[in-house]
Amino acid sequence: MELLIQVLATFLTIYTICVFAWVLISWLPMISPSLAYNEGVTSIRRFLDSVVLPYVRLFRFIPPVRVGGAMIDLSSLAAILVLSIFGNTLIQLLATALGVE
């Protein structure tokens, strides 16, 4: 049963990294337009869009915040926080229920 908990924890970690990478790649056109439209980066972006967007869309009700002249979308931050908090809570509850400490 420890294996189940380890797999779940690893999945949550990898998914959190994917959300974070998706955010960083979404900023790429502002930083380096030539790199943002590179074929390799575009394929990575498409993959991350297909994996991350269905989850992040759940948090799109949160309005963006204006900082200076830029608008910052907080939906991805909320998605990471919820994933972290509920993921760790789920792992702890599962570990307690299975008697694994």
Side-chain angles (χ1 to χ4, degrees):
M1 290 301 159
E2 284 184 40
L3 180 62
L4 174 66
I5 294 171
Q6 289 175 347
V7 167
L8 183 59
T10 302
F11 172 77
L12 290 171
T13 301
I14 291 171
Y15 199 78
T16 302
I17 291 169
C18 285
V19 173
F20 189 69
W22 178 77
V23 169
L24 292 179
I25 286 180
S26 72
W27 293 344
L28 209 52
M30 293 180 290
I31 298 168
S32 174
S34 62
L35 182 61
Y37 300 107
N38 181 321
E39 187 176 323
V41 174
T42 305
S43 64
I44 292 171
R45 173 70 189 256
R46 269 182 275 167
F47 168 75
L48 289 175
D49 281 346
S50 68
V51 171
V52 172
L53 264 178
Y55 175 65
V56 173
R57 281 189 186 132
L58 297 172
F59 300 94
R60 289 291 167 124
F61 66 90
I62 300 171
V65 176
R66 181 176 294 278
V67 177
M71 296 292 284
I72 298 179
D73 184 14
L74 298 177
S75 60
S76 55
L77 176 64
I80 290 173
L81 286 173
V82 167
L83 187 65
S84 177
I85 291 168
F86 285 117
N88 288 333
T89 303
L90 178 66
I91 289 171
Q92 289 299 324
L93 288 172
L94 193 59
T96 303
L98 296 174
V100 178
E101 293 294 325

